[in-house]
């Protein structure tokens, strides 16, 4: 297939063929990071702007590493160090960035929809690195890459996503992505953290942690997003950990080959115990490794050119 997409805004708008092309491209680029000299000239002369309005470790650094491994120039700007604090609007800021002719702008913003607004108003390619509680498409793509790498195929797998589903852009993008690729997604969490109508995305809602992980091929744990909660949605962290936390004993009651995932950052002892996070079945750091390859693939496809699905 021919790649002709300008932006990556969400998983909904990507076709199965486009997702497969992205994952195949990432698989092919992954070995560059294992070389003694971890750099290829593919995007030499291209410019990537990293525009993060919310804190980030994994997403921002992995986009930066991805750009550098492909020899692109990457420039980071934050809201506090830009003229936004002098009253310039976000669109004006983006138009000024566009005037400097970058090839891709990667944006994270606390307001859902911001990347769509910029994608409409400027001609530069936009990648959504997380918009409010709405979407985190590059996280979902790297999660799909990680599961596909270990399990071979996503079709028919049972994916359990547990935690603060209401406030999680990772949950939304993963429910849509895994379902689109033929997996079955089940979710669980305190009723106060399960949004009404989430079933319409294709997920099956469970009330009980032990039921949702029973027979699951993948258990994906999510952090409680206190920064997005207006009020306390559970009595105590201790009670939360006991009812919805992933522990070694829960893992041992599940499938022997179950994959343990978490997008990070972890709150050890709350949604996941240290023993569970560091267990042999945990692929949490593989997700981070694959995040670099996946973001290299997106920068390559948006800024670099055309690749064919069967190139590998
Ligand atoms: N998973 C994720 O988005 O992590 P960061 O917030 O550190 O980028």
């Amino acid at each position: 297939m021919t790649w002709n997409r300008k932006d990556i805004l969400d998983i909904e708008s990507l076709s199965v063929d486009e997702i497969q092309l992205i994952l195949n491209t990432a698989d092919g680029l992954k070995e560059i990071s294992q070389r003694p000299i971890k750099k290829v000239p593919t995007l030499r002369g291209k410019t990537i702007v990293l525009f993060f309005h919310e804190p980030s470790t994994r997403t921002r650094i992995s986009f930066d590493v991805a750009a550098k491994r492909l020899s692109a120039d990457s420039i980071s700007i934050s809201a506090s160090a830009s003229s936004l604090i002098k009253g310039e609007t976000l669109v004006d800021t983006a138009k000024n960035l566009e005037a400097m002719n970058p090839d891709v702008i990667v944006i994270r913003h606390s307001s859902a929809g911001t990347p769509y607004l910029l994608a409409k108003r400027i001609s530069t390619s936009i990648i959504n690195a997380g918009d409010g509680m709405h979407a985190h498409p590059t996280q979902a793509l790297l999660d799909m890459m990680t599961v596909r790498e270990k399990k071979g195929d996503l079709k028919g797998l049972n994916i359990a996503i547990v935690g603060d589903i209401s406030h999680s852009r990772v949950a939304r993008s993963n429910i849509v992505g895994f379902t689109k690729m033929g997996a079955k997604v089940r979710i669980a969490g305190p009723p106060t953290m399960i949004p009404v109508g989430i079933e319409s995305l294709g997920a099956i809602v469970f009330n009980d942690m032990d039921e949702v992980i029973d027979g699951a091929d993948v258990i994906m744990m999510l952090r409680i997003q206190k920064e997005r909660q207006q009020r306390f949605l559970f009595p105590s962290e201790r009670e939360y950990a006991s009812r919805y936390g992933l522990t070694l004993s829960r893992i041992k009651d599940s499938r022997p080959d179950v994959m343990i995932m978490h997008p990070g950052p972890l709150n050890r002892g709350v949604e996941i115990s240290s023993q569970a996070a560091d267990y042999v079945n945990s692929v949490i750091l593989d997700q981070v490794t694959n995040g670099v390859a996946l973001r290299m693939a997106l920068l390559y496809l948006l800024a670099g050119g055309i690749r064919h699905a069967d190139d590998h």
Side-chain angles (χ1 to χ4, degrees), residues 193-225:
M193 294 184 192
I194 302 288
V196 176
I198 191 76
E199 297 89 343
S200 67
L201 296 183
I204 303 167
V205 179
F206 285 63
N207 293 321
D208 185 80
M209 167 81 177
D210 297 303
E211 276 176 30
V212 84
I213 65 172
D214 185 25
D217 297 287
V218 173
I219 304 173
M220 185 183 295
M221 300 305 299
L222 300 175
R223 179 176 70 88
I224 302 167
Q225 304 218 4

Side-chain angles (χ1 to χ4, degrees), residues 52 54-62 108 129-130 136 138-139 142-143 169-170 223 227-228 262-265 287-288 295:
F52 278 62
E54 280 189 330
S56 170
T57 298
R58 282 146 289 270
T59 312
R60 188 172 62 79
I61 305 295
S62 63
R108 171 172 286 190
H136 196 346
T138 68
Q139 179 71 45
L142 76 87
D143 289 341
R169 53 196 178 203
V170 173
R223 179 176 70 88
E227 72 275 24
R228 300 193 203 281
H262 193 307
Q287 291 172 261
V288 179
R295 288 163 179 138

Side-chain angles (χ1 to χ4, degrees), residues 90-121:
L90 190 68
V91 171
D92 278 335
T93 301
K95 282 180 171 289
N96 278 268
L97 294 175
E98 180 190 29
M100 297 180 216
N101 203 19
D103 296 280
V104 179
I105 297 176
V106 180
I107 182 158
R108 171 172 286 190
H109 202 279
S110 55
S111 296
T114 302
Y116 297 78
L117 175 69
L118 299 192
K120 261 195 216 147
R121 300 294 294 273

Side-chain angles (χ1 to χ4, degrees), residues 74 99 120 147 171 187 209 228-229 231 264 270 275 293 297 307:
S74 60
K120 261 195 216 147
V147 176
I187 58 170
M209 167 81 177
R228 300 193 203 281
Q229 295 183 357
R231 59 194 166 88
V270 185
Q275 283 181 313
R307 199 175 181 99

